[in-house]
Amino acid sequence: VAGSGVAARLTRWSPVADAASPSHQHHPLSPGSGHSGFQAGHATVDPEINGFDPAAILRDFDWGKTSKLAGGRTLREWELVASDKTIEIVPGVRYAAWTYNGRVPGPTLRAREGDQLRIRFINAGTHPHTIHFHGIHPAVMDGTPGIGEDAGGGLIEVGEEFTYEFEARPFGLHLYHCHASPLAGHIAKGLYGVFVVDPPGGRSMADELIMVQNAFDPDFDEDNEVYAVNTVAFHFMYRPIRVTRGQLVRIYLVNIVELDPINSFHVHGNFFQRFPTGTALEPTEYTDTVIQGQGQRDVLELRFPYTGKYMFHAHKSEFAALGWMGLFEVVE
Amino acid sequence: VKGAVVALTIAAVATACGGGAGDGEFGVTHATLTPGRIVLVVANHSKDDARVAQVIVNDAFVDFRTSRNDVPPGDIEAIVVFYPWIEGESYDLELLTATGATVGYEIEEAEAA
């Protein structure tokens, strides 16, 4: 065998990772490439360690504190706090994340088109941050460094705060993220979340799921080592997403992966209707695989006609084998 | 039986190999291949305990075993990686530690021991 190695200098690990690691035997995850070799096991991150649960994030929609403005419009208010937090992204491996409200992704904010939105942002982290919302709004509310500082916006320094206020439009599937420099670093550390604006008449009843495709570069070599949906690698292989046979399932799929130009989503044993960015009510494609660039979003709708377990994963096999795979479990 | 074989393999390889990582570092010193397995010997020349939390082979997480989780400073340990390697092919291995640091090792041409 001809071999060569690269050694590493280490820093101490945290008791968090220490407590989570199984002793001696590791069934991490999926031997071999792709998803065909996955072994059933027990190794996923305990949600208690991170203080958030990837499964709970699926169906956690925050409509904000709601009130009525003069004239009858709805006002929705939230408070988002940026802070540093060590999280576990794959069993035994910790990551020094930056979070909105202590979770990655941040809270899923939801409104209806035309609502007035007010988001109080407090920077309790150790670096300047912003919140940049995708959508249509005035420049001062854009969360871009260098724009809006005169009004207290732009780059929000450590210990400072700013309130973003704008109308929810257009309807669709959007996101928010920090726009401070270096941009890739601030996003990759975890400062992002989903922003859903419903059509004025709402959408049809469905089992709605937030799926944020994300990735992490824990050794900071500009190459991601861990991929996931909702932050924890392979979580949904061990905790399949349970859905009901015949029921409409609506997936809000967002790609926020940095360092890789594209990502993808593929579902086994089924096809879905694709609504790019969710800004129209007519689908554009009936398929089983969708490709997304950085920041791209799609609303996907499908029904499972049969019970059983069906995989979903990135069809970039490297991403799948590094954590971006899961299961739907279809029940009666 | 599998566990016993693995334990014996780890003990034999760890006894036979010395440390090879540089001063102050944690690294892989040697790899031995048997059908379906890659046995890595790691040496810890850093001043802190080292823990390998995950193993990646050719951009895929893989199953592995060790006789203990922590490698104390100045000590060595063997890691048995279960992987269907192919004769003559090359493999990039990464040991992902608890801190997120990675230790790389390249097998340029796989060959059975």
Side-chain angles (χ1 to χ4, degrees):
Chain A
V1 176
S4 59
V6 176
R9 294 183 185 280
L10 302 172
T11 55
R12 293 181 187 280
W13 62 79
S14 72
V16 171
D18 208 22
S21 298
S23 162
H24 308 318
Q25 296 191 359
H26 304 259
H27 304 272
L29 312 160
S30 92
S33 62
H35 51 272
S36 60
F38 180 83
Q39 291 183 334
H42 60 277
T44 188
V45 174
D46 183 348
E48 292 291 322
I49 291 173
N50 286 336
F52 61 85
D53 184 345
I57 287 173
L58 288 170
R59 297 180 172 94
D60 182 11
F61 296 91
D62 187 344
W63 291 85
K65 177 187 171 189
T66 305
S67 59
K68 288 292 183 183
L69 296 168
R73 287 179 65 213
T74 297
L75 171 66
R76 299 186 187 278
E77 299 178 86
W78 295 270
E79 184 173 286
L80 293 187
V81 179
S83 63
D84 301 358
K85 183 177 183 179
T86 297
I87 62 174
E88 197 165 311
I89 52 178
V90 65
V93 179
R94 64 173 179 154
Y95 181 77
W98 293 343
T99 71
Y100 290 122
N101 290 8
R103 46 177 272 183
V104 181
T108 297
L109 311 186
R110 191 158 186 178
R112 285 220 167 148
E113 190 175 61
D115 291 348
Q116 188 70 7
L117 311 182
R118 187 177 293 162
I119 304 101
R120 181 187 178 200
F121 172 54
I122 300 167
N123 184 1
T126 54
H127 295 262
H129 296 305
T130 78
I131 306 179
H132 164 66
F133 286 89
H134 286 221
I136 301 170
H137 48 246
V140 70
M141 296 297 164
D142 195 51
T144 303
I147 300 174
E149 269 81 356
D150 291 348
L155 190 65
I156 310 303
E157 297 292 340
V158 174
E160 300 294 319
E161 66 174 81
F162 180 70
T163 298
Y164 300 92
E165 184 162 346
F166 50 87
E167 183 178 330
R169 69 189 178 111
F171 77 79
L173 172 56
H174 312 309
L175 70 149
Y176 63 88
H177 57 83
C178 181
H179 217 291
S181 293
L183 182 56
H186 281 244
I187 293 175
K189 293 278 275 182
L191 288 173
Y192 47 78
V194 179
F195 171 40
V196 177
V197 179
D198 282 359
R203 296 184 187 272
S204 57
M205 288 290 292
D207 185 0
E208 297 188 312
L209 307 171
I210 293 288
M211 290 192 182
V212 177
Q213 303 177 88
N214 51 4
F216 299 92
D217 176 23
D219 64 355
F220 311 112
D221 65 348
E222 298 293 304
D223 187 22
N224 292 315
E225 278 80 27
V226 178
Y227 295 80
V229 158
N230 297 352
T231 299
V232 177
F234 297 103
H235 186 78
F236 298 111
M237 290 301 293
Y238 298 101
R239 306 282 187 274
I241 300 171
R242 187 166 287 190
V243 298
T244 303
R245 185 176 74 86
Q247 183 177 13
L248 180 64
V249 175
R250 179 176 297 122
I251 299 169
Y252 294 97
L253 183 72
V254 175
N255 178 34
I256 198 68
V257 167
E258 286 292 340
L259 306 178
D260 293 290
I262 61 167
N263 206 335
S264 60
F265 172 93
H266 167 60
V267 65
H268 286 207
N270 214 336
F271 271 57
F272 51 78
Q273 300 285 359
R274 178 186 187 188
F275 303 77
T277 323
T279 49
L281 299 178
E282 292 298 321
T284 61
E285 190 177 13
Y286 186 54
T287 182
D288 64 0
T289 304
V290 59
I291 306 295
Q292 292 185 328
Q294 291 178 336
Q296 195 167 357
R297 297 90 68 194
D298 288 281
V299 176
L300 313 177
E301 291 187 352
L302 70 166
R303 297 175 194 270
F304 289 91
Y306 306 110
T307 58
K309 289 183 178 177
Y310 299 90
M311 286 199 74
F312 60 91
H313 59 88
H315 222 296
K316 168 79 169 143
S317 299
E318 173 194 344
F319 298 177
L322 288 173
W324 180 174
M325 63 168 76
L327 292 166
F328 287 109
E329 183 176 12
V330 184
V331 299
E332 291 289 356
Chain B
V1 173
K2 184 179 179 183
V5 171
V6 168
L8 287 172
T9 304
I10 290 172
V13 174
T15 301
C17 299
D23 286 346
E25 294 179 327
F26 173 65
V28 179
T29 66
H30 186 74
T32 304
L33 279 65
T34 58
R37 292 175 187 175
I38 301 171
V39 181
L40 302 173
V41 176
V42 295
N44 185 8
H45 295 310
S46 76
K47 58 181 171 44
D48 298 314
D49 283 359
R51 170 171 293 182
V52 175
Q54 300 289 344
V55 176
I56 298 170
V57 178
N58 286 2
D59 290 324
F61 285 107
V62 295
D63 194 9
F64 70 100
R65 301 285 188 281
T66 60
S67 61
R68 55 183 172 174
N69 279 331
D70 302 336
V71 184
D75 211 344
I76 61 172
E77 179 58 69
I79 298 172
V80 179
V81 177
F82 297 94
Y83 192 82
W85 59 272
I86 298 169
E87 186 94 15
E89 296 198 354
S90 63
Y91 296 94
D92 286 316
L93 292 91
E94 282 184 288
L95 309 183
L96 188 53
T97 70
T99 63
T102 52
V103 174
Y105 190 79
E106 181 182 4
I107 296 172
E108 295 168 4
E109 188 175 340
E111 179 185 352

